[in-house]
Amino acid sequence: MIKETSGTNRGQGHRKRLRERFLKSSLKGFHDYEVIELLLSLNTPRKDCKQSAKLLLKQFKTFQAVLEASHEALCGIEGVGPANSLGIRLIKEVSDRYLEARIISKDVVQNPRDLMAYLKQVIGHKTKEVFAGIFLDAKNRVLTSKILFTGTLTTSSVYPREVIISALQHNAAAMIFAHNHPSGDVDPSRSDIEITRKLFFALKYVGIILHEHMIIGNEGFYSFAAHGLISKLNKEFDECNE
């Protein structure tokens, strides 16, 4: 009985030290497993969470993948359970919403930093390809963002009609597209280029500007605009409609 109480006190002391470290300097200096451990401790009273935190990282490989994991997958890890799964998924969704709020009503064409942070957070670490649309007003301020398509992206799985309907519903004057490459290789495929061309022309014909298409990887990104591909499409469109 004495040993059990002693162990409990050591665990409580460890939790207290983690929380004090966080309150003093946020997450600076924390290992990934310590961040997860601190998060698990909020919903796990009187139990050591270090082992469960390390099991999560072992199973899902990266901190980002832990946050992206499904409820069922998280509950499959010893010591996690429904309450902790809810906490982990809630943290991810709250973070996404916070970063989205930072770009609403902002001119992300002239000042793209917050947009990049948002896109890396929301789609950069997904294990499936997703195609996002950022809807802008006439002053390039963000109206909203939306995941338009999910799954392997091909020219037959991305529908310009649906994009145009969404753009008109949001009264968008311009758009930015972004999708992720789960492989981490951000170079555009032939299909990526064809999709961009198809959407650029479809939007242009209804008076909506496409400013950018970005491919987001685990680390870097590829900008169609920075590589001159959007300018090239503008020129091609003008030549076709002279």
Side-chain angles (χ1 to χ4, degrees):
M1 188 70 178
I2 294 175
K3 290 182 179 179
E4 183 178 338
T5 303
S6 177
T8 300
N9 288 337
R10 284 197 299 270
Q12 289 175 346
H14 177 61
R15 288 166 180 254
K16 183 179 179 181
R17 288 190 294 274
L18 277 180
R19 293 173 182 180
E20 287 175 347
R21 281 175 59 194
F22 171 72
L23 291 173
K24 182 177 180 180
S25 55
S26 297
L27 294 177
K28 184 178 181 181
F30 273 67
H31 296 291
D32 286 346
Y33 80 85
E34 290 178 314
V35 178
I36 298 170
E37 181 186 357
L38 182 59
L39 183 57
L40 293 177
S41 73
L42 299 178
N43 279 319
T44 311
R46 298 181 300 278
K47 184 179 178 182
D48 182 17
C49 298
K50 182 184 292 186
Q51 186 61 27
S52 295
K54 289 186 173 181
L55 284 174
L56 282 167
L57 279 175
K58 183 178 180 180
Q59 175 66 28
F60 300 109
K61 309 304 181 187
T62 66
F63 177 77
Q64 293 88 343
V66 172
L67 297 185
E68 292 283 356
S70 69
H71 173 71
E72 293 75 16
L74 290 169
C75 287
I77 302 300
E78 183 180 354
V80 177
N84 279 317
S85 173
L86 173 65
I88 290 171
R89 292 176 59 79
L90 179 61
I91 286 292
K92 174 62 167 61
E93 293 298 325
V94 168
S95 179
D96 289 355
R97 179 169 290 195
Y98 167 73
L99 290 174
E100 181 180 20
R102 287 175 62 95
I103 64 172
I104 297 298
S105 299
K106 299 286 184 63
D107 180 349
V108 292
V109 175
Q110 295 298 321
N111 301 287
R113 180 179 297 179
D114 287 342
L115 176 62
M116 285 305 307
Y118 169 71
L119 291 172
K120 287 179 181 179
Q121 163 79 8
V122 173
I123 70 173
H125 298 278
K126 287 191 177 296
T127 56
K128 293 183 179 179
E129 284 194 37
V130 295
F131 191 91
I134 311 298
F135 301 85
L136 311 176
D137 67 12
K139 294 185 177 180
N140 295 328
R141 295 174 300 197
V142 175
L143 298 167
T144 190
S145 67
K146 182 179 179 181
I147 300 297
L148 297 169
F149 307 103
T150 301
T152 302
L153 301 179
T154 65
T155 52
S156 61
S157 66
V158 175
Y159 305 103
R161 182 174 180 273
E162 291 185 17
V163 176
I164 290 171
I165 290 172
S166 289
L168 294 176
Q169 286 175 338
H170 290 99
N171 295 316
M175 291 198 69
I176 291 172
F177 295 130
H179 78 277
N180 64 314
H181 279 183
S183 67
D185 179 5
V186 296
D187 288 335
S189 65
R190 177 174 293 183
S191 181
D192 292 335
I193 295 171
E194 290 174 356
I195 287 169
T196 306
R197 182 181 184 278
K198 183 164 69 171
L199 291 173
F200 180 95
F201 272 66
L203 290 169
K204 193 80 168 179
Y205 277 122
V206 295
I208 299 172
I209 299 167
L210 177 60
H211 284 299
E212 174 70 284
H213 182 183
M214 288 183 285
I215 301 172
I216 311 295
N218 295 333
E219 299 297 336
F221 70 96
Y222 182 96
S223 163
F224 276 64
H227 284 81
L229 296 177
I230 300 298
S231 295
K232 184 178 178 180
L233 289 173
N234 260 313
K235 183 178 179 182
E236 183 182 347
F237 182 88
D238 290 342
E239 290 173 350
C240 289
N241 290 277
E242 285 181 348

